[in-house]
Amino acid sequence: MFISVVCSLSLFAQDRNPIIPGFHPDPSICRVGDDYYIVNSSFQYFPGVPIYHSRDLMNWEQVGNVLDRESQLPLKDASSWLGIYAPTLRYNNGIYYMITTNVGNGGNFMVTASDPRGPWSEPLWLKQEGIDPSLYFENGKCYMVSNPDNTIMLCQIDAKSGRQLTPSKPLWRGTGGRYPEGPHIYKKDGWYYLLISEGGTELAHRLTIARSRSIEGPYEANPKNPLLTHCSMAGQSNQIQGTGHGDFVQTKDGRWWLVFLAYRNFEGSYHHLGRETYIAPVEWRQGEWPVVNNGQPVDTLRVSQQRHIRTTFDRPLGPEWVYIQNPDSAMYQQTNGKLRLLGVPNGLSEDRRPTFVGRRQESAVFTAETRLDFENSAAGDEAGLTVYQISNGHIDFCLHPTRQSMTVALKVRVKSLGVVTKSVKIPNTCCSLRVRSDGRMYYFDYSLDGRNYKELDRVDCALVSTEVVGGFTGVVLGMYAKKDGKNVGKSDSRADFDYFDYQEQ
């Protein structure tokens, strides 16, 4: 059994990446016995900090979200640049700890749980500033690191109350790359190792490492830094770019692995799926510096599992479904096997709690489909499917009533430009909507009978890429409803969805 597990992990690291595809950035990993857990940042989406479980580092299942109550996760005015930044997950003496930053709504905080599936505690707000905080436990003490003033700073805190017990002490400013962040401390062979990210979470992203005999320093940099980057001669032609922000984990057999974020470019230098979670083997000999992936670029991609997930609305939505900011529960109703969305004037181009629910796009090649009845609507209202990257970067495939008829329309928002690319009148208020992608283009099809589809239009994926519209997230495929502001107080705008079908190819 030992040999088979080791062989499978070695094979896996070579030909199956990313391990958690789609918008899953800033991974932090924790092993407890035979169980591995990973958490990711979630920015403006609610619930926040998805948590995944695995027994083999290969197959990951989302088992919940750490922050699933508004009291834990206030997201007022949060955009794709704000909200929950990089979390860290740690375990000590029977308790799981998750520490992170809510940018724009409170700063650094920590929550705890006895079971990683929850429930998690209310936040303990922390004094030391900066982003990407991490924890290190040793000899009954709890240490916190983060990066105020672009410097990795250390302090001791009370793990029960979050109270800061010692002044913040500077440890390291990195090797000179911009934005030294994402710090984690590990102890091995009498050395304290400090792993950080530098260069910004873009092409220049990289992992660097330093070490000291004392947790308080001074820290000396690895002479062979960076530990991992694709911003190099060896990695520049790779589809996988932006490698950085990692966390080490050691298996029961003593082997080391690194989970880290990266993104995949499509059609040149554009990425729209977001930053994903990858894994690579680490050779870490006694007393020496760690070496990631034998010093070579990570250059293999995930073997498609061709997942087919059909969501019906006769049961509560699973943990993969998210909202933009804190949802108004009154706007979302599940009745008679349908999901009813009640439109509000705030649309997808505003960061003001629109009526929206969606799931991450996790494969470049996929089909997503739903059937919508928009009988209860008035001229100017709209509802349908959206390919959503950010408030100023989304593609909306919608039913749009006018005074005399119902229209199927495709609307594209890119920065300050908003256009209807195509529209067609249909004879009734019920229509099936489908979006397909081959990784290069999105294709938008509609059907009146649910069987025979016609393509309305197609849009280049690059138009909702981070390089074009910005943001720190990735495409989320969702259903939405919007009420024309002129109709407020006059009539309800109710969009009834029968199902949501998502299939990877």
Side-chain angles (χ1 to χ4, degrees), residues 292-310:
V292 176
N293 204 42
N294 199 30
Q296 300 300 311
V298 180
D299 59 1
T300 53
L301 297 177
R302 183 182 182 88
V303 176
S304 176
Q305 295 182 343
Q306 297 184 336
R307 295 182 304 162
H308 184 189
I309 303 170
R310 187 176 181 87

mmCIF file of all heavy atoms in Angstrom, residues 292-310:
data_model
loop_
_atom_site.group_PDB
_atom_site.id
_atom_site.type_symbol
_atom_site.label_atom_id
_atom_site.label_comp_id
_atom_site.label_asym_id
_atom_site.label_seq_id
_atom_site.Cartn_x
_atom_site.Cartn_y
_atom_site.Cartn_z
ATOM 1 N N VAL A 292 11.745 22.740 -5.606
ATOM 2 C CA VAL A 292 10.407 22.462 -6.114
ATOM 3 C C VAL A 292 10.490 21.898 -7.525
ATOM 4 O O VAL A 292 11.144 22.468 -8.398
ATOM 5 C CB VAL A 292 9.538 23.745 -6.114
ATOM 6 C CG1 VAL A 292 8.173 23.473 -6.731
ATOM 7 C CG2 VAL A 292 9.384 24.273 -4.687
ATOM 8 N N ASN A 293 9.836 20.752 -7.745
ATOM 9 C CA ASN A 293 9.700 20.157 -9.078
ATOM 10 C C ASN A 293 11.056 19.994 -9.777
ATOM 11 O O ASN A 293 11.189 20.217 -10.975
ATOM 12 C CB ASN A 293 8.761 20.989 -9.951
ATOM 13 C CG ASN A 293 8.122 20.176 -11.060
ATOM 14 O OD1 ASN A 293 7.697 19.049 -10.850
ATOM 15 N ND2 ASN A 293 8.035 20.759 -12.248
ATOM 16 N N ASN A 294 12.070 19.631 -8.981
ATOM 17 C CA ASN A 294 13.419 19.417 -9.508
ATOM 18 C C ASN A 294 13.973 20.666 -10.193
ATOM 19 O O ASN A 294 14.804 20.587 -11.099
ATOM 20 C CB ASN A 294 13.429 18.238 -10.488
ATOM 21 C CG ASN A 294 14.830 17.683 -10.702
ATOM 22 O OD1 ASN A 294 15.681 17.739 -9.802
ATOM 23 N ND2 ASN A 294 15.088 17.157 -11.890
ATOM 24 N N GLY A 295 13.479 21.830 -9.770
ATOM 25 C CA GLY A 295 13.955 23.082 -10.330
ATOM 26 C C GLY A 295 13.420 23.399 -11.711
ATOM 27 O O GLY A 295 13.875 24.355 -12.350
ATOM 28 N N GLN A 296 12.431 22.629 -12.187
ATOM 29 C CA GLN A 296 11.892 22.794 -13.534
ATOM 30 C C GLN A 296 10.499 23.431 -13.495
ATOM 31 O O GLN A 296 9.801 23.355 -12.489
ATOM 32 C CB GLN A 296 11.810 21.437 -14.240
ATOM 33 C CG GLN A 296 13.149 20.740 -14.383
ATOM 34 C CD GLN A 296 14.135 21.560 -15.184
ATOM 35 O OE1 GLN A 296 13.811 22.052 -16.269
ATOM 36 N NE2 GLN A 296 15.345 21.719 -14.661
ATOM 37 N N PRO A 297 10.070 24.060 -14.608
ATOM 38 C CA PRO A 297 8.712 24.600 -14.653
ATOM 39 C C PRO A 297 7.667 23.500 -14.515
ATOM 40 O O PRO A 297 7.899 22.344 -14.872
ATOM 41 C CB PRO A 297 8.635 25.242 -16.046
ATOM 42 C CG PRO A 297 10.048 25.482 -16.443
ATOM 43 C CD PRO A 297 10.842 24.370 -15.821
ATOM 44 N N VAL A 298 6.517 23.856 -13.978
ATOM 45 C CA VAL A 298 5.368 22.955 -13.921
ATOM 46 C C VAL A 298 4.652 23.081 -15.255
ATOM 47 O O VAL A 298 4.078 24.115 -15.572
ATOM 48 C CB VAL A 298 4.439 23.307 -12.749
ATOM 49 C CG1 VAL A 298 3.252 22.358 -12.708
ATOM 50 C CG2 VAL A 298 5.204 23.281 -11.433
ATOM 51 N N ASP A 299 4.723 22.042 -16.069
ATOM 52 C CA ASP A 299 4.298 22.208 -17.461
ATOM 53 C C ASP A 299 3.271 21.197 -17.930
ATOM 54 O O ASP A 299 3.132 20.963 -19.117
ATOM 55 C CB ASP A 299 5.506 22.129 -18.387
ATOM 56 C CG ASP A 299 6.248 20.807 -18.275
ATOM 57 O OD1 ASP A 299 5.821 19.937 -17.483
ATOM 58 O OD2 ASP A 299 7.257 20.644 -18.982
ATOM 59 N N THR A 300 2.523 20.605 -17.011
ATOM 60 C CA THR A 300 1.502 19.645 -17.418
ATOM 61 C C THR A 300 0.140 20.101 -16.928
ATOM 62 O O THR A 300 0.026 20.801 -15.935
ATOM 63 C CB THR A 300 1.803 18.245 -16.854
ATOM 64 O OG1 THR A 300 2.003 18.339 -15.442
ATOM 65 C CG2 THR A 300 3.054 17.672 -17.491
ATOM 66 N N LEU A 301 -0.889 19.673 -17.656
ATOM 67 C CA LEU A 301 -2.244 20.120 -17.381
ATOM 68 C C LEU A 301 -3.125 18.977 -16.920
ATOM 69 O O LEU A 301 -2.812 17.807 -17.108
ATOM 70 C CB LEU A 301 -2.848 20.770 -18.625
ATOM 71 C CG LEU A 301 -2.130 22.032 -19.102
ATOM 72 C CD1 LEU A 301 -2.778 22.548 -20.370
ATOM 73 C CD2 LEU A 301 -2.148 23.104 -18.027
ATOM 74 N N ARG A 302 -4.242 19.362 -16.379
ATOM 75 C CA ARG A 302 -5.203 18.393 -15.851
ATOM 76 C C ARG A 302 -5.811 17.550 -16.968
ATOM 77 O O ARG A 302 -6.172 18.053 -18.024
ATOM 78 C CB ARG A 302 -6.327 19.151 -15.139
ATOM 79 C CG ARG A 302 -7.361 18.269 -14.482
ATOM 80 C CD ARG A 302 -8.436 19.162 -13.875
ATOM 81 N NE ARG A 302 -9.439 18.394 -13.198
ATOM 82 C CZ ARG A 302 -9.359 18.023 -11.926
ATOM 83 N NH1 ARG A 302 -8.291 18.346 -11.232
ATOM 84 N NH2 ARG A 302 -10.319 17.339 -11.354
ATOM 85 N N VAL A 303 -5.920 16.256 -16.691
ATOM 86 C CA VAL A 303 -6.667 15.368 -17.580
ATOM 87 C C VAL A 303 -8.149 15.576 -17.297
ATOM 88 O O VAL A 303 -8.601 15.440 -16.161
ATOM 89 C CB VAL A 303 -6.270 13.891 -17.345
ATOM 90 C CG1 VAL A 303 -7.129 12.979 -18.217
ATOM 91 C CG2 VAL A 303 -4.801 13.682 -17.655
ATOM 92 N N SER A 304 -8.907 15.936 -18.312
ATOM 93 C CA SER A 304 -10.316 16.255 -18.116
ATOM 94 C C SER A 304 -11.081 15.068 -17.551
ATOM 95 O O SER A 304 -10.951 13.936 -18.014
ATOM 96 C CB SER A 304 -10.963 16.688 -19.430
ATOM 97 O OG SER A 304 -12.346 16.895 -19.244
ATOM 98 N N GLN A 305 -11.873 15.320 -16.527
ATOM 99 C CA GLN A 305 -12.724 14.284 -15.940
ATOM 100 C C GLN A 305 -14.111 14.254 -16.578
ATOM 101 O O GLN A 305 -14.902 13.387 -16.275
ATOM 102 C CB GLN A 305 -12.849 14.518 -14.427
ATOM 103 C CG GLN A 305 -11.522 14.368 -13.687
ATOM 104 C CD GLN A 305 -11.692 14.554 -12.183
ATOM 105 O OE1 GLN A 305 -12.684 15.077 -11.710
ATOM 106 N NE2 GLN A 305 -10.710 14.107 -11.431
ATOM 107 N N GLN A 306 -14.382 15.234 -17.446
ATOM 108 C CA GLN A 306 -15.663 15.298 -18.147
ATOM 109 C C GLN A 306 -16.838 15.189 -17.175
ATOM 110 O O GLN A 306 -17.753 14.385 -17.334
ATOM 111 C CB GLN A 306 -15.751 14.197 -19.214
ATOM 112 C CG GLN A 306 -14.706 14.344 -20.313
ATOM 113 C CD GLN A 306 -14.857 13.327 -21.414
ATOM 114 O OE1 GLN A 306 -15.416 12.255 -21.217
ATOM 115 N NE2 GLN A 306 -14.353 13.647 -22.588
ATOM 116 N N ARG A 307 -16.796 16.022 -16.158
ATOM 117 C CA ARG A 307 -17.859 16.014 -15.155
ATOM 118 C C ARG A 307 -19.163 16.533 -15.734
ATOM 119 O O ARG A 307 -19.173 17.438 -16.567
ATOM 120 C CB ARG A 307 -17.466 16.872 -13.958
ATOM 121 C CG ARG A 307 -16.282 16.353 -13.176
ATOM 122 C CD ARG A 307 -16.008 17.238 -11.987
ATOM 123 N NE ARG A 307 -15.816 18.629 -12.402
ATOM 124 C CZ ARG A 307 -15.909 19.675 -11.578
ATOM 125 N NH1 ARG A 307 -16.216 19.481 -10.307
ATOM 126 N NH2 ARG A 307 -15.685 20.900 -12.013
ATOM 127 N N HIS A 308 -20.241 15.970 -15.262
ATOM 128 C CA HIS A 308 -21.578 16.426 -15.642
ATOM 129 C C HIS A 308 -22.367 16.607 -14.352
ATOM 130 O O HIS A 308 -22.649 15.642 -13.637
ATOM 131 C CB HIS A 308 -22.263 15.415 -16.560
ATOM 132 C CG HIS A 308 -23.593 15.879 -17.053
ATOM 133 N ND1 HIS A 308 -24.470 15.068 -17.734
ATOM 134 C CD2 HIS A 308 -24.209 17.096 -16.981
ATOM 135 C CE1 HIS A 308 -25.561 15.744 -18.043
ATOM 136 N NE2 HIS A 308 -25.426 16.975 -17.598
ATOM 137 N N ILE A 309 -22.698 17.863 -14.059
ATOM 138 C CA ILE A 309 -23.382 18.192 -12.809
ATOM 139 C C ILE A 309 -24.695 18.885 -13.142
ATOM 140 O O ILE A 309 -24.705 19.970 -13.738
ATOM 141 C CB ILE A 309 -22.517 19.104 -11.918
ATOM 142 C CG1 ILE A 309 -21.160 18.441 -11.633
ATOM 143 C CG2 ILE A 309 -23.242 19.428 -10.624
ATOM 144 C CD1 ILE A 309 -20.162 19.352 -10.977
ATOM 145 N N ARG A 310 -25.786 18.260 -12.779
ATOM 146 C CA ARG A 310 -27.108 18.849 -13.014
ATOM 147 C C ARG A 310 -27.702 19.266 -11.672
ATOM 148 O O ARG A 310 -27.880 18.430 -10.775
ATOM 149 C CB ARG A 310 -28.029 17.859 -13.722
ATOM 150 C CG ARG A 310 -29.378 18.456 -14.155
ATOM 151 C CD ARG A 310 -30.192 17.441 -14.930
ATOM 152 N NE ARG A 310 -31.468 17.953 -15.378
ATOM 153 C CZ ARG A 310 -31.672 18.616 -16.519
ATOM 154 N NH1 ARG A 310 -30.641 18.852 -17.317
ATOM 155 N NH2 ARG A 310 -32.872 19.041 -16.864
#
